[in-house]
Amino acid sequence: MAHVFGYTAINDVTARDLQAQHVQFFKGKSLDGFCPMGPWIVTADEIPDPHHLRVRCMVNGVVKQDGNTEQFLFDIPAILASLSRGMTLEPGDIIATGTPSGVGFARTPPDSCGRGT
């Protein structure tokens, strides 16, 4: 955790139509412009415990997702350890840790919010 610079928000946009055509999620999540981030980074020293933060997504004033980082499947040290066993992590690398429940395609009825997410 001493190597973590800070935290920001990432919009993990997905083209579900492309994702459905492939076994892996890569194609549906890798189009140009599909991972807007920020606009701020909060430095690690400002967040004493990143494993107890509320994460909420609202679209036009409507709550679409509402969760807490304590619900991560893996905490940040476990994610860093796992990734570093197979790739070199460099200063400036960005790691997306996941999303709260409530993604549009899993809603009843499915909700694309007009952007494929």
Side-chain angles (χ1 to χ4, degrees):
M1 292 298 288
H3 298 286
V4 173
F5 174 77
Y7 307 95
T8 191
I10 290 179
N11 184 358
D12 181 15
V13 180
T14 305
R16 297 289 179 200
D17 55 340
L18 292 177
Q19 181 181 348
Q21 295 173 20
H22 298 269
V23 176
Q24 297 294 323
F25 284 6
F26 174 76
K27 183 67 172 182
K29 292 184 171 286
S30 61
L31 301 178
D32 291 346
F34 265 43
C35 194
M37 156 181 136
W40 300 279
I41 295 175
V42 178
T43 56
D45 63 319
E46 297 179 78
I47 308 257
D49 186 356
H51 298 106
H52 295 285
L53 298 173
R54 183 179 189 187
V55 179
R56 184 167 66 169
C57 173
M58 297 177 68
V59 177
N60 297 326
V62 177
V63 175
K64 298 290 185 171
Q65 294 175 272
D66 195 357
N68 195 296
T69 57
E70 66 192 7
Q71 298 166 314
F72 281 173
L73 293 179
F74 303 100
D75 65 13
I76 295 168
I79 293 168
L80 294 173
S82 177
L83 290 176
S84 67
R85 282 193 294 271
M87 64 179 70
T88 302
L89 297 176
E90 300 282 352
D93 284 348
I94 298 164
I95 299 168
T97 55
T99 187
S101 63
V103 294
F105 84 98
R107 294 174 171 272
T108 305
D111 179 4
S112 71
C113 299
R115 299 181 351 173
T117 57

